[in-house]
Amino acid sequence: MSARPDRTPLARSFFDRPVLAVAPDLLGRTLVRRTADGPLELRITEVEAYEGEADPGSHAYRGRTARNASMFGPPGHAYVYFIYGMWFSLNLVCGPPGHASGVLLRAGEVTVGADLAAKRRVSARHPRELAKGPARLATALDIDRSLDGTDLCADPDSPLSVLHGTATPPGLVSSGPRTGVGGAGAHHPYRFWLTGDPTVSPYRAHSPRKRPT
DNA sequence: TCCCGGATCCGCT
DNA sequence: GCGGATCCGGGAT
């Protein structure tokens, strides 16, 4: 931690690539969130790729709607959605433009503003749990639908941006099936994480909920 | 430590 | 009306 990280936002060309190239390349990069209470920074440790309209596991599978419109927009922007009646999750839209592909940020290490994150994540027993899971990550960084469509490449002082960080050597990256995704393509190794990192969320297989009687 | 069910509501069929 | 890219607490092991 002696070297000061690069304060330059990632170039849009970083995101304007196939999602399966972008997703593992995001590991170790820095997500910056600026709130009224102060800045937070997150080192990305776990992601999942969603391959646009051709991917049965993707929100874009059934075409463009009001909710997923951001995924069909330009690369390098945020797609924030509301799920399970109480949580938000953050995606980074990737190229090629119009393919509606994106990377779900599933987990990370809070490196700046851990005190602010802890106030929002009261149930976290340990700093490693602050952003251990997509909804926890969004809660820790105070991310909601108001940030949907935010340009992540514009300015490090914007509400949300992604900065350069140290690129992770491929040998330190693991991959496997996506968490909670069923149906066709459920087995695809579209989930990527930093091998052995304690902030990576536990894998859970897809299991449909039972309906009340 | 694991497993299970409840919470909660929006978008789409 | 139904199911969802989840989380958490409680009870069992």
Side-chain angles (χ1 to χ4, degrees), chain A residues 8-12 76-77 150-162:
Chain A
T8 306
L10 282 178
R12 198 166 315 283
H77 288 240
T150 300
D151 186 352
L152 304 166
C153 305
D155 185 333
D157 293 325
S158 77
L160 194 63
S161 58
V162 181

Side-chain angles (χ1 to χ4, degrees), chain A residues 78-179:
Chain A
Y79 165 49
V80 180
Y81 66 89
F82 183 63
I83 192 68
Y84 290 128
M86 52 190 118
W87 310 111
F88 294 96
S89 285
L90 171 65
N91 288 252
L92 311 187
V93 179
C94 296
H99 275 233
S101 57
V103 178
L104 169 67
L105 298 191
R106 288 196 56 88
E109 175 193 3
V110 179
T111 56
V112 172
D115 53 333
L116 298 177
K119 286 180 184 172
R120 301 184 51 80
R121 291 273 301 112
V122 180
S123 65
R125 293 292 190 101
H126 191 282
R128 76 186 59 172
E129 297 175 351
L130 289 173
K132 191 175 191 165
R136 291 168 170 180
L137 187 156
T139 300
L141 298 188
D142 196 17
I143 288 168
D144 62 25
R145 271 237 106 185
S146 69
L147 293 171
D148 182 57
T150 300
D151 186 352
L152 304 166
C153 305
D155 185 333
D157 293 325
S158 77
L160 194 63
S161 58
V162 181
L163 304 185
H164 285 286
T166 305
T168 300
L172 298 181
V173 175
S174 298
S175 63
R178 293 177 294 192
T179 296

